[in-house]
Amino acid sequence: MSSNISESMIIRQGPALRVIMEITNGPFNGRKTWLRAGQILRIGRTERADFTVPHDKNMSSLHFTLECGQDVCKVRDEQSANGITVNGEKVAESLLKHGDEIGAGSTKFRINIEGSREVPTDVAGRTIQLSGTELNLPKHFGPPASKLPPTFRMRTCMTGLALLEGSAAEPAPAQVAQTLTKLGSLYLLVDFNRMALAPPAELTAPEYLYDWIPASLAADQSPVLLSASDAVDPFPILASGWGLNGIVTLISSWEKSKLVDHLRGVIRGKTRADGPTPRNSMVGICWPDILGSMLRDSMPGSRDYLFSAFDAVLLEGAEPPQWQIFCKPGTVPTLQKFGFVRVMEDDPTKTVTSVAPPA
């Protein structure tokens, strides 16, 4: 470590760190992502970053990084044009504590740290700044990086959505999901019972989707919605459950509570005027085969309400490791900027030569 920080200044007890970073202003207000010990997250305006804020013209293409060690979380300016602040004070590097606010460009980020240790401070209670502190972290956030980009073939569905289909074993579906988080927050809709998998022990307060059934039955019957606010790493779950027809990956800019209400409304349908019996409900959206059919084969406009909450939906294909991404046509060029590579069909009659403009 740097000479201005001694080992005795950091308390090494309690659980490993878990850091949640949340945007607190602007059009992406409420968008969150998370880190665990041993991860690094790059934040900026363009696809060079892991977490992008494309609307902020005052943010550099790669503006700053968060590094999460076993004991501390550090923010570092990446030689950005306008620099960064921590609680209003301009810094080059700084250890973070729970509740700190990072300013970058015109965007504010709140840092929530669980299992936090004390960080070194001076006699005035100010966090000691770092110079060259090494945390021995990997170079990428989330699943190990693939050397290959996600490649896809595209077609337009009856619903008007674009369907991107890929089948390469590398990058793995979890890596594809990680790339999609550049669009928005990642949510997993998981049916542990359908897949005959035990929920992770860290999931102490599951958000059961079926809130209308008795609590005693929910654990055996209801899917669960996982988000960055849950103390669970989603990528191992996605990897272990892939191919079991029980995981739907949702990319959304909505808050979890709003998204949960939306999904429950879709499943239950509208209430009849003469009683509580739902109508026009969409049962089975928690299962890839049923949701995929809905998004692919329904009449134009019939699934607009369902998809209104999503930026993209990632589902398993007919056979692992095939994957499918449903999104609006106008999202495809953005995904290509993030590293997705489009390939054409071998049969010229099936080649899609252009992407339809967004509606």
Side-chain angles (χ1 to χ4, degrees), residues 205-220:
E207 183 72 69
Y208 292 115
L209 205 59
Y210 301 166
D211 65 339
W212 52 87
I213 65 176
S216 58
L217 301 178
D220 296 325

Side-chain angles (χ1 to χ4, degrees), residues 258-277:
K258 184 179 178 182
L259 183 59
V260 166
D261 289 342
H262 177 80
L263 293 171
R264 287 170 176 163
V266 167
I267 294 172
R268 300 191 70 175
K270 299 177 181 179
T271 303
R272 293 166 55 97
D274 56 351
T277 305

